[in-house]
Amino acid sequence: MNSPRAWLIWTIGVFAYLVAVAQRTSFGVAGLEATERFHASAAAVSFFTVLQLLVYAGLQIPVGVLVDRFGSRVMVAGGAVLMGLGQLQLAFADSVPGGVLGRVLVGAGDAMTFISVIRLVPLWFAPARVPLVTQLTGMCGQLGQLFSVVPFALMLQSAGWTPAFLSLAGLSVLAVVLVLALLRDVPPGHSPQNAAQGLKATGISLSRAWKQPGTRLGLWSHFTVQFSGNLFAMTWGYPFLLSAQGLDGATVSGLMALFVATAIVSGPGVGRFVSRHPMRRSAMVLLIVLATAIVWAAVLSLPDRAPLWLLVVLVVVLAVGGPGSMIGFDFARTFNPSHRIGTATGIVNVGGFIAALVAIYLIGLVLDLLNGSGFSGGNLYGLAPFRIALSVQFVLLGFGTLMILTTRRKVRAQMAAQGVHVSPLLVTLAKQRRERMERRRAARQERT
C-alpha cells in the first residue's frame, strides 16, 4: 500500500475516469451542431442527454453489485469499450435514433467507471491516505471536461462532426489498452475481495439504506445542489452563452474552462469545512442552493444580455455545486454501517442525475413550445425563450430545498434520540463568538 505501483494503478484508473468525464460532457458543446446534423428540435437534442443520464442513474446500484463480483479492472475496461462504441456510433449517425443509441452506450459505460475507480482506493492505499486520494480522484477526473470544452470543441468547429467524435472513440481505445495492461484489482499477495450477494441480501441492504434518514438527506442534497451545474455543463450552458448571450466561441470555452477550474479549486475548501464542521454540512448545502437561485435570478431577470462579470459569477457558483454535492456522499458514509456504504452511495448518486435529466428535458420542451407558438420569433435559442425555459430550475431548487429541510428534521430527531443535539446555527455562531472573545481577553490578561 502507498507504493509507487499503487500510484501507478491509481493513475491508470483516474485516466479512465478522466476519459469518461470527457465522453459524458462532450455533447454539451455539440448542441448547435446536433440540431443541424439531425434536423432536431430542442426537445429532441435534450433527449440525447436525458436518456444518457437516465441510463447512468439507473445503473448506479447494479454496477455497485457487479464491481464487487467482477472487480474494477473488468468493469473499467468494459465501460471504456461501451463508451468507445457509443462515440463511434455517434460519429456516423445521421438521425435522432442513431444518435440517441450512441449516447445510451456512453451513459452505460460512464456508469461503470467512477464507482469502479473509487473501489480501488481503499485496496491500494492505507486508511490514512484514503480520504486524500479519493478527493484527488474527483478533482483529476474533472479535467476530462476541459478536454471536451477546449480541444474537442475546437476540433468540432474545424474538422467537423465525424472526426471530432472519432477522436473520443480513440481515447476510449487507449483507456482499454492501459487498463487491461496495467490495472490490477488488488496488490500482489492479496486475494481478490469477492463480496457478491444474493438478490435477497441485496434487496435487504437496499431497503435498510433507504430507510435511513441520513441516506435520504444525502440523496436530496445531491439532487438539489448538483443538477444546475450538470445541465449547464452537459447541454444548455454552451448554446445559452453562445446564442442567447451572444458570446464568441473562445469566450464560451474560457467560461467552461473556468467552470472546471473552479470545481477543482473549491473541492478542498468544501472538504475542509465538512471535516471541521460535520454538524453544519446541511447548512453548507443550503447556502450553495441559495447562491445558485440568487445568481440565476440575477441573470434571467435582466431585460438584456448579462454583463460578462455576472456570467463569470454564474459559472463560479454553478461550479461550486459539484464539490458541494459530494457532501451527500459524506451523509451516506456517516449514517450507514461500513457494509452498506456502497449501496447508500449508489442511492445518493442517483439524486443529482435524476434532477438534471428532468431539468434538461423540461428546458428543451419549453424552448420548443415557445418556438412553436411564435414567441421565439424563429430563434429557437434566443435570449427571451431561454430566460423562460431556464426558470424551470427554480421549481426543482424549491422542491429539493423542501425535501432537505424535511429530511434534516428526521435526521436530527434520530440523532437527538441517540443523545446528540444540534443547536440552531445562530445560537452556535453566537457561542463561538463569545468563546473567541473570552480567549482573546484571557490572552491579553496573560500579556499584562
Side-chain angles (χ1 to χ4, degrees), residues 74-84 105-106 108-113 172 176:
V74 170
M75 296 297 288
V76 174
V81 168
L82 286 177
M83 285 185 286
L105 291 173
V106 170
D110 184 16
M112 297 168 64
T113 307
S172 288
V176 171

Side-chain angles (χ1 to χ4, degrees), residues 340-430:
R340 211 163 61 214
I341 288 178
T343 302
T345 299
I347 292 173
V348 170
N349 204 28
V350 169
F353 292 99
I354 290 292
L357 69 87
V358 170
I360 288 169
Y361 180 72
L362 287 179
I363 289 169
L365 182 62
V366 171
L367 287 172
D368 278 342
L369 291 174
L370 294 173
N371 191 47
S373 69
F375 176 86
S376 305
N379 186 2
L380 177 63
Y381 294 140
L383 178 59
F386 249 130
R387 184 181 290 121
I388 296 174
L390 287 171
S391 297
V392 166
Q393 297 177 86
F394 295 114
V395 177
L396 292 173
L397 288 169
F399 174 74
T401 300
L402 177 63
M403 297 307 297
I404 290 172
L405 294 173
T406 301
T407 313
R408 184 175 70 169
R409 282 197 295 268
K410 296 179 180 179
V411 170
R412 290 187 173 179
Q414 181 187 57
M415 295 171 64
Q418 298 169 351
V420 179
H421 297 275
V422 182
S423 302
L425 179 58
L426 294 178
V427 173
T428 301
L429 291 176

Side-chain angles (χ1 to χ4, degrees), residues 32-58:
L32 299 178
E33 287 80 2
T35 302
E36 297 177 3
R37 182 178 181 87
F38 301 122
H39 306 289
S41 63
V45 171
S46 69
F47 187 66
F48 281 76
T49 305
V50 166
L51 195 56
Q52 174 192 341
L53 290 177
L54 185 61
V55 170
Y56 181 96

Side-chain angles (χ1 to χ4, degrees), residues 63-82:
V63 164
V65 175
L66 290 174
V67 73
D68 283 335
R69 183 181 294 271
F70 297 110
S72 296
R73 181 170 179 261
V74 170
M75 296 297 288
V76 174
V81 168
L82 286 177

Side-chain angles (χ1 to χ4, degrees), residues 104-193:
V104 167
L105 291 173
V106 170
D110 184 16
M112 297 168 64
T113 307
F114 178 69
I115 294 176
S116 302
V117 173
I118 285 296
R119 184 180 183 271
L120 291 168
V121 175
L123 299 178
W124 281 91
F125 293 90
R129 286 280 181 91
V130 169
L132 173 61
V133 179
T134 300
Q135 186 179 88
L136 289 174
T137 302
M139 291 170 58
C140 294
Q142 292 308 308
L143 294 174
Q145 190 174 336
L146 278 180
F147 179 87
S148 66
V149 301
V150 182
F152 173 75
L154 293 175
M155 183 174 291
L156 186 65
Q157 294 170 9
S158 60
W161 181 278
T162 298
F165 281 94
L166 285 177
S167 70
L168 293 175
L171 271 180
S172 288
V173 172
L174 177 59
V176 171
V177 171
L178 291 175
V179 167
L180 293 179
L182 300 173
L183 193 68
R184 295 296 180 268
D185 290 320
V186 294
H190 291 69
S191 59
Q193 293 187 1

